Amino acid sequence: AQSVTQPDIHITVSEGASLELRCNYSYGATPYLFWYVQSPGQGLQLLLKYFSGDTLVQGIKGFEAEFKRSQSSFNLRKPSVHWSDAAEYFCAVGANQAGTALIFGKGTTLSVSS
Amino acid sequence: DGGITQSPKYLFRKEGQNVTLSCEQNLNHDAMYWYRQDPGQGLRLIYYSQIVNDFQKGDIAEGYSVSREKKESFPLTVTSAQKNPTAFYLCASGRRTPLPEAFFGQGTRLTVV
């Protein structure tokens, strides 16, 4: 079955500390991978995406993610977290195939402490 | 400005009433999607459409209906058959090629009392 797992429901990080949010996927086709961020009561904003090539991808707001095919993972990282990064983060997987839509994980809520 | 517009942002309805959520996009995207978001559940796919006059059920289509008469519009009707309609509804649009990425509207919070 196709699925996305975000093992951490809630993470708290001190401001200025590094961050890693985990994402594992199960997908039969060649996966296209995405990270989105959502502020409370808002829509989702695309942070970054991976479909081929360099397995380390850079996104907006200083985020990066690394695709590891052997581990079926696409973890999101940031070297130094800012208070404004507090939000909910969603990992998603999709395919370039007719009749498909993105499949989302259940999300990880990030809190930033001062 | 190009984007996806969902309206209204907040919607209140009495139990047993049908209600229609609006979603319009001016990004010239072929594909449009409706997701439902509940706390701790992530986004679950209700319906999606990849071309005008065609749409497919997602994982939780029961109690919902859609239409796709125009490329720009993909309204979602929450019917009285939906047992637990109170939720945050997100509409998205996207291209399938070269990447199947989705761009989201700001959402509609539906409360049924």
Side-chain angles (χ1 to χ4, degrees):
Chain A
Q2 300 164 348
S3 65
V4 177
T5 301
Q6 295 180 244
D8 304 305
I9 296 173
H10 190 188
I11 286 182
T12 299
V13 175
S14 298
E15 190 169 15
S18 64
L19 168 71
E20 182 170 29
L21 302 182
R22 296 183 291 164
C23 173
N24 294 97
Y25 67 90
S26 172
Y27 206 72
T30 300
Y32 293 76
L33 295 156
F34 306 85
W35 275 99
Y36 287 84
V37 62
Q38 183 184 36
S39 297
Q42 301 297 312
L44 275 67
Q45 180 183 22
L46 181 65
L47 280 177
L48 48 77
K49 56 200 175 191
Y50 170 80
F51 63 101
S52 68
D54 193 346
T55 56
L56 183 64
V57 294
Q58 304 296 321
I60 63 171
K61 305 184 181 188
F63 285 92
E64 67 179 25
E66 186 172 13
F67 171 60
K68 294 185 177 180
R69 185 183 297 275
S70 61
Q71 298 178 17
S72 298
S73 69
F74 188 57
N75 293 349
L76 182 71
R77 301 195 293 248
K78 187 170 185 177
S80 177
V81 168
H82 188 262
W83 65 266
S84 60
D85 294 324
E88 190 159 19
Y89 292 80
F90 292 94
C91 181
V93 64
N96 185 7
Q97 290 179 339
T100 64
L102 292 185
I103 298 170
F104 286 82
K106 293 188 176 182
T108 297
T109 299
L110 173 65
S111 297
V112 180
S113 61
S114 56
Chain B
D1 286 342
I4 301 166
T5 302
Q6 291 188 242
S7 60
K9 189 167 177 62
Y10 299 96
L11 193 52
F12 295 88
R13 279 296 182 269
K14 291 185 178 179
E15 194 171 341
Q17 290 181 335
N18 291 354
V19 60
T20 298
L21 282 60
S22 170
C23 179
E24 304 276 335
Q25 56 101 358
N26 60 6
L27 300 170
N28 199 33
H29 287 162
D30 287 318
M32 296 188 74
Y33 311 88
W34 275 105
Y35 289 89
R36 171 178 170 145
Q37 186 178 19
D38 298 282
Q41 295 296 313
L43 276 70
R44 293 182 290 170
L45 183 65
I46 305 172
Y47 269 98
Y48 61 105
S49 167
Q50 299 196 329
I51 195 169
V52 174
N53 292 323
D54 188 41
F55 46 83
Q56 291 78 40
K57 293 182 179 180
D59 299 320
I60 57 166
E62 184 175 352
Y64 299 98
S65 66
V66 293
S67 63
R68 187 85 187 276
E69 297 176 0
K70 299 186 300 181
K71 187 175 185 177
E72 301 79 17
S73 179
F74 192 40
L76 173 74
T77 297
V78 184
T79 75
S80 56
Q82 167 51 232
K83 291 182 172 52
N84 186 17
T86 294
F88 190 53
Y89 291 88
L90 286 159
C91 177
S93 71
R95 297 176 291 265
R96 200 168 66 251
T97 59
L99 283 175
E101 60 188 293
F103 298 87
F104 283 82
Q106 292 301 297
T108 293
R109 182 163 299 280
L110 172 64
T111 302
V112 175
V113 296

